[in-house]
Amino acid sequence: MKKTSQNREITFIEAIIMLLVYVIIFAWGIGKYPTGLSILMCAIFTSLYGILLLNISWEEIFGSILKMFQMGMPSLLVLLMVGFISASWLASGTIPALIVYGLKILNPSIFLVASFLITTLVGIATGSSWSVVATFGVALIGIANGMGIPPGLAGGAIVCGCWLGDKWSPLSDTTNLGAAMNGLNIFDLWKHMLPTSGLGGIGAAVIFAVIGFHYAGGKIDTAGINTLTEGINGQYHISLLLLLPVALVIFFSIRQRPVLPVLILGVVVAIILAVVVQGKALGEVMNAIYNGYTTSTGDASLDKLLSGGGLLSVAGIMMIIFCAFTLAGALEPVGAMRAIAVKLGSIAKKRGPLTLLTVFTGIFGTYLGGTAYTGVILNSSMYADSYEKAGLTKLDLARASLEGSGHTSALVPWCGSHVMIVTSLGITWGQFLPYYFSFWISISLMILYGFTGWFFQKEKPGVKQLSDSADTTDGTGR
């Protein structure tokens, strides 16, 4: 974004004080009120500071907020479709079928790597870490208990897969936000993360495979698996046909079709399967898409596994995103992030320090806002000019932002992602942190590449960079 004219430029000290105020607001609000309200309070404080002390007009601030909403709307629409996907795939039996077939391939020696790969692939297919951890995660953590595998270790494999799949998915709301904020084609960004997230995933898979050898010869809780499978078969007609929505979404994603139409196709096919295969009334399925799908079997754990999704399930996080966009829009004309970036940019003018700084800001921003969106938005606002002057591309900025932010939300106690993990798996961040291998490897590779120049696009300093294939004229950011 271009610098906005104002009667007085905010100073570096003022900007730092503003960030400290943010930290105080968030720290004070933990456990007292929702994260979105803390973000909104920061936005109000920022707007009042700009109007009263920097002589910025409200019209200018409001215009910046509206611009931010326009840029970020694609990510909101994708998140909306994630709610529809989860509910329709539960109603159709698609997610239950994935669970049934997935359970058939597990044994103690390959459990960890299989759990990681399954959750990663489904995360890539759905673009939703939350839906995967609340479905596959619940099933897998129960199987791990039956095998005697420590919950923290099993949870590490599950969380690694869920959040790596989400971050590396063309359907991910966070990744789509990173692309939209930088005017990029989502598939260009996806390919640009292959050397970081891709190799991070391979490294994590190898480590989990090696650790899994320690549990070779362990006994799987076949009784528990049979109970789970019988419960699912009692509610659904399971067949390979139910995997059609997943196959279609993956196929058209690989073919680089627009994300929203692909997700809509996945929902429509799932609705048809719910009616034709499962014998559900169309009205019942449509109601589930809005309110969430519910199952009442009398078994609390099974009901939890087979219920969820729907528009209302993502309403809370959508409100947080709205608040985050409001804060980001207010920050732009005030120039606080720009003042900090200019100061830090004078220290980190080269690729290595700048990449390190971007990763750090992504982590800090995610903790600050309680969501990965804040880290992505802050980085995109703060470092666009610095990356351009350093001869780096928007792809480089978006990748570093996502590597710093994408995995971090699972580690923030006041973030919805961590709440979902605690609720679904019964473990906290401290238990799975040592086994969060995809996180450690990805950010380490990102920093290494920054200082070596490996896997960076070669561009001339001072030339404005955008993805050649980026096309935002249709409002999709893709």
Side-chain angles (χ1 to χ4, degrees), residues 11 18 28 52 120 139 177 254 278 324 367 383 394 399 434 473:
T11 66
M18 185 171 288
W28 180 55
L52 299 177
T120 297
L177 175 61
I254 293 174
Q278 306 302 342
Y367 269 87
Y383 298 121
K394 293 282 189 175
R399 179 177 63 179
T473 57

Side-chain angles (χ1 to χ4, degrees), residues 304-327:
K304 181 180 179 181
L305 180 65
L306 302 179
S307 301
L311 173 61
L312 295 184
S313 71
V314 297
I317 192 63
M318 289 181 72
M319 289 299 100
I320 292 178
I321 299 175
F322 267 85
C323 295
F325 286 161
T326 302
L327 173 58

Side-chain angles (χ1 to χ4, degrees), residues 85 89 92-95 97-98 101 121-122 124-126 171 239-257 261-263 265-267 269-270 273:
I85 281 280
W89 287 15
S92 66
T94 298
I95 289 178
L98 286 170
Y101 291 127
L121 292 175
V122 180
I124 292 174
T126 63
L171 311 181
S239 70
L240 290 174
L241 180 62
L242 301 180
L243 303 182
L244 180 60
V246 179
L248 290 173
V249 168
I250 294 175
F251 174 77
F252 285 110
S253 296
I254 293 174
R255 295 293 299 275
Q256 301 189 10
R257 296 295 187 265
V262 169
L263 290 178
L265 175 63
V267 172
V269 173
L273 290 174

Side-chain angles (χ1 to χ4, degrees), residues 258-325:
V259 172
L260 285 176
V262 169
L263 290 178
I264 292 173
L265 175 63
V267 172
V268 171
V269 173
I271 291 174
I272 295 173
L273 290 174
V275 174
V276 175
V277 178
Q278 306 302 342
K280 300 183 183 300
L282 180 60
E284 177 188 356
V285 178
M286 299 307 293
N287 181 69
I289 288 176
Y290 184 83
N291 294 300
Y293 185 77
T294 56
T295 300
S296 299
T297 64
D299 185 332
S301 60
L302 186 61
D303 290 344
K304 181 180 179 181
L305 180 65
L306 302 179
S307 301
L311 173 61
L312 295 184
S313 71
V314 297
I317 192 63
M318 289 181 72
M319 289 299 100
I320 292 178
I321 299 175
F322 267 85
C323 295
F325 286 161

Side-chain angles (χ1 to χ4, degrees), residues 346-397:
S346 64
I347 302 172
K349 294 181 179 180
K350 296 184 178 180
R351 182 187 55 245
L354 189 56
T355 302
L356 176 62
L357 192 60
T358 307
V359 171
F360 172 78
T361 306
I363 295 173
F364 173 76
T366 302
Y367 269 87
L368 179 68
T371 171
Y373 308 122
T374 309
V376 172
I377 291 171
L378 284 178
N379 272 335
S380 301
S381 302
M382 289 174 63
Y383 298 121
D385 291 340
S386 298
Y387 269 68
E388 181 182 337
K389 292 177 180 177
L392 304 177
T393 69
K394 293 282 189 175
L395 281 169
D396 298 325
L397 172 57

